[in-house]
């Protein structure tokens, strides 16, 4: 992106960051004064029974996401119902704003090529006059100041909703239509870059997941440096290659409490929950977990349907006795770390689990856990697999870093490009 903007904060009612070809103060206007429509729809008679597989897209709050209209999971209504709901027909370039529920304040602009749709009562249509740009207003509402304005405009005892009148009364400073279009176009390019990085990250994660699954189920195999097949894999039980760690924090001399997250791995409990869950005065019954120990957490979730097994790469600490800690001896820990990211070992866990206790935890004995089959290819093949998957991890890390930097860049722009 070119550095086409300059700092111009000295004049009142102009943004801190502005394109140099524009000058003059922005003018405060209410949304109501520049909108030709502020309104929403309703749920069709019969509710979800009125939905069908094809027809007119019926937009709900879940379709307004990440500053764009996402129609992958959209419902459809018949043309007859759409005709009866003419007042809430959605057109190209309408701005859509969620006005109730947990996603309140989320917004998007309907793309140019959109033909026709309708909305329910949770999504507000804001249609601007020709002298104003909906993408400019949408970016403005997504900024920190815009979200604060929406928060102040919420109504109800719990301030849980926006009504049409409160939306019409929201005031912002607006530049000329030419400057609005310039800003909207620039931010659209930033959004395109963010979406490209997000898509790249998603594809890399999908590729890694597929590659791991095929490698550890032996659907694909590497060959050695001379092009020959590696030996067949051995299979050992967990108890044959690792030992369970049951050292307690008896002297209470370790107070760094760890937790095992399905998505983040072994992390500080204080950082994860933003507070101490464990009683810092009574950690004597907790297990001591060394760096490179592996930990099984029986709590199940969508991300970890049989509970996660993660390697502690953070620091020596303690963990609740609800977890099972084990330590490998003379094994390639990176190889095992990748193995536990797959679902190859899940079938065994499900076969020995005792269902019927708690719906959010696997009930499995330590003996059964230690009976878990562990694949043991030769060291050379383990190294090939580890090097291949680590290379994908490096690309993923680089892409995630780029994405985070781009998100911070956009956040900074939104704070400085609007009054």
């Amino acid at each position: 992106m070119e550095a086409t903007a300059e700092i111009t904060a000295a004049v009142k009612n102009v943004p801190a960051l502005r394109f140099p070809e524009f000058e003059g103060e922005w003018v405060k206007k209410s949304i109501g004064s520049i909108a030709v429509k502020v309104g929403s729809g309703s749920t069709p008679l019969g509710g979800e029974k009125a939905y069908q597989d094809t027809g007119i897209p019926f937009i709900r709050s879940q379709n307004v996401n990440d500053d764009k209209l996402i129609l992958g999971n959209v419902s459809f209504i018949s043309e007859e119902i759409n005709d009866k709901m003419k007042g809430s027909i959605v057109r190209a370039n309408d701005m859509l704003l969620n006005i109730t529920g947990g996603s309140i304040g989320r917004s998007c602009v309907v793309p140019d090529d959109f033909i026709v749709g309708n909305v329910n009562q949770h999504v507000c249509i804001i249609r601007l006059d020709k002298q104003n740009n909906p993408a400019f207003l949408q970016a403005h509402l997504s900024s920190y100041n815009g979200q604060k304005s929406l928060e102040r405009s919420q109504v109800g005892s719990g301030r849980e909703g926006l009504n049409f009148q409160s939306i019409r009364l929201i005031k912002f400073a607006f530049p000329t239509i030419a400057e609005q279009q310039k800003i909207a176009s620039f931010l659209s390019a930033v959004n395109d870059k963010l979406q490209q990085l997000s898509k790249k990250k998603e594809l890399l994660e999908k590729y890694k997941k597929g590659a791991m699954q095929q490698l550890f189920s032996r659907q694909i195999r590497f060959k050695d440096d001379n092009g020959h097949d590696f030996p067949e894999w051995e299979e050992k039980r967990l108890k044959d290659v690792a030992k369970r760690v049951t050292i307690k924090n008896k002297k209470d001399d370790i107070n760094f409490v760890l937790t095992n997250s399905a998505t983040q791995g072994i992390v500080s409990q204080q950082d994860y929950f933003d507070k101490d869950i464990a009683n810092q005065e009574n950690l004597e019954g907790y297990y001591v977990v060394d760096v490179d120990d592996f930990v099984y957490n029986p709590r199940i979730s969508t991300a970890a349907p049989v509970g996660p097994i993660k390697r502690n790469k953070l620091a020596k600490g303690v963990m609740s006795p609800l977890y099972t800690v084990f330590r490998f001896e003379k094994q390639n820990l990176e190889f095992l770390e990748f193995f536990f990211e797959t679902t190859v070992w899940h079938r065994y866990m499900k076969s020995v689990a005792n269902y019927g206790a708690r719906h959010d935890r696997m009930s499995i004995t330590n003996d059964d856990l230690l009976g878990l089959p562990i694949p043991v290819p030769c060291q050379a093949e383990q190294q090939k697999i580890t090097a291949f998957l680590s290379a994908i991890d490096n690309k993923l890390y680089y892409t995630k870093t780029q994405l985070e930097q781009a998100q911070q860049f956009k956040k900074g722009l939104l704070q400085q490009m609007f009054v």
Side-chain angles (χ1 to χ4, degrees):
M1 295 168 193
E2 297 179 7
T4 53
E6 63 180 12
I7 304 297
T8 56
V11 185
K12 187 181 177 184
N13 252 357
V14 297
L17 192 61
R18 194 175 193 186
F19 291 100
E21 64 266 38
F22 298 103
E23 57 184 18
E25 289 195 47
W26 291 15
V27 179
K28 276 205 167 185
K29 301 174 187 175
S30 67
I31 290 177
S33 69
I34 61 171
V36 297
K37 179 181 181 60
V38 177
S40 66
S42 60
T43 299
L45 192 64
E48 293 187 3
K49 291 180 180 176
Y51 298 161
Q52 49 188 48
D53 294 335
T54 58
I56 306 297
F58 188 63
I59 299 164
R60 297 173 291 171
S61 54
Q62 59 262 46
N63 302 118
V64 180
N65 210 340
D66 292 334
D67 297 326
K68 60 180 182 286
L69 182 62
I70 297 175
L71 297 176
N73 60 345
V74 76
S75 298
F76 296 92
I77 56 174
S78 67
E79 291 191 17
E80 182 183 1
I81 292 175
N82 188 52
D83 285 341
K84 290 179 181 175
M85 298 169 60
K86 285 182 178 175
S88 52
I89 285 179
V90 175
R91 301 175 185 169
N93 295 313
D94 280 347
M95 184 187 148
L96 302 179
L97 172 67
N98 289 355
I99 55 176
T100 63
S103 65
I104 188 169
R106 231 161 49 192
S107 61
C108 72
V109 175
V110 180
D112 286 337
D113 58 355
F114 187 80
I115 299 173
V116 66
N118 218 302
V119 292
N120 68 6
Q121 65 274 30
H122 304 296
V123 181
C124 177
I125 302 168
I126 301 176
R127 189 171 298 149
L128 301 185
D129 59 27
K130 300 296 183 187
Q131 286 71 50
N132 289 280
N133 185 301
F136 172 83
L137 176 62
Q138 191 273 327
H140 206 330
L141 280 175
S142 297
S143 71
Y144 176 81
N145 288 337
Q147 291 292 300
K148 284 294 178 187
S149 293
L150 290 174
E151 282 180 26
R152 289 193 295 270
S153 301
Q154 290 181 35
V155 296
S157 57
R159 299 174 71 83
E160 69 276 12
L162 291 160
N163 64 29
F164 306 143
Q165 183 60 16
S166 65
I167 293 170
R168 290 190 186 97
L169 292 175
I170 294 173
K171 280 189 174 181
F172 292 122
F174 288 78
T176 62
I177 181 66
E179 191 169 357
Q180 288 184 37
Q181 288 169 342
K182 182 84 175 183
I183 292 170
S185 176
F186 178 70
L187 291 175
S188 175
V190 174
N191 281 338
D192 286 346
K193 179 67 176 176
L194 275 170
Q195 287 173 19
Q196 288 169 11
L197 287 169
S198 185
K199 185 67 178 177
K200 184 178 178 182
K201 171 176 164 288
E202 182 185 327
L203 289 174
L204 277 170
E205 287 172 338
K206 190 175 179 181
Y207 176 65
K208 179 189 170 187
K209 186 177 179 182
M212 285 196 305
Q213 202 67 21
Q214 289 190 313
L215 284 167
F216 284 99
S217 62
R218 282 163 269 182
Q219 294 176 53
I220 55 175
R221 296 281 302 274
F222 284 104
K223 292 188 181 295
D224 67 20
D225 292 340
N226 298 316
H228 299 139
D229 291 340
F230 281 115
E232 288 303 311
W233 292 17
E234 287 186 67
E235 188 173 275
K236 296 185 177 180
R237 300 289 170 179
L238 179 59
K239 63 185 177 186
D240 297 326
V241 290
K243 63 180 180 183
R244 188 171 166 231
V245 177
T246 57
I247 301 169
K248 295 286 185 72
N249 188 31
K250 288 182 179 177
K251 295 181 180 177
D252 208 13
D253 53 355
I254 302 174
N255 57 11
F256 184 50
V257 184
L258 301 167
T259 195
N260 185 353
S261 159
T263 55
Q264 299 179 36
I266 307 295
V267 292
S268 157
Q269 187 184 73
Q270 207 278 337
D271 291 344
Y272 186 72
F273 293 104
D274 202 25
K275 60 181 179 181
D276 285 321
I277 303 296
N279 182 357
Q280 286 286 330
E281 304 300 322
N282 186 20
L283 299 176
E284 296 175 3
Y286 277 46
Y287 290 133
V288 175
V289 183
D290 255 319
V291 171
D292 287 338
D293 284 349
F294 283 68
V295 181
Y296 172 60
N297 178 0
R299 181 178 288 276
I300 61 176
S301 64
T302 304
V306 298
I309 292 179
K310 301 289 184 182
R311 175 184 173 191
N312 176 24
K313 296 192 284 189
L314 187 61
K316 186 174 184 177
V318 292
M319 270 192 164
S320 162
L322 290 173
Y323 299 139
T324 302
V325 185
F326 50 94
R327 187 173 299 159
F328 285 97
E329 296 176 337
K330 300 177 182 177
Q331 298 294 322
N332 182 329
L333 300 184
E334 285 76 22
F335 173 82
L336 292 162
E337 207 177 343
F338 286 126
F339 169 66
F340 288 123
E341 284 188 48
T342 72
T343 60
V344 172
W345 54 283
H346 289 191
R347 177 179 291 182
Y348 169 82
M349 297 293 279
K350 290 174 181 174
S351 73
V352 296
N354 177 21
Y355 292 97
R358 289 182 56 171
H359 70 281
D360 62 339
R361 289 181 186 278
M362 289 286 282
S363 177
I364 182 168
T365 67
N366 286 319
D367 283 345
D368 283 335
L369 178 62
L370 291 172
L372 175 67
I374 301 294
V376 186
C378 69
Q379 286 297 319
E381 189 171 3
Q382 288 189 37
Q383 288 168 3
K384 287 243 178 191
I385 291 171
T386 301
F388 175 73
L389 294 175
S390 295
I392 301 175
D393 266 351
N394 288 338
K395 287 181 181 176
L396 254 174
Y397 175 79
Y398 180 66
T399 304
K400 285 177 182 175
T401 302
Q402 282 185 306
L403 180 59
E404 288 168 2
Q405 289 172 344
Q407 287 168 335
Q408 285 301 315
F409 177 63
K410 181 185 174 184
K411 186 178 177 182
L413 290 175
L414 291 178
Q415 288 175 342
Q416 297 182 76
M417 294 188 78
F418 298 97
V419 176

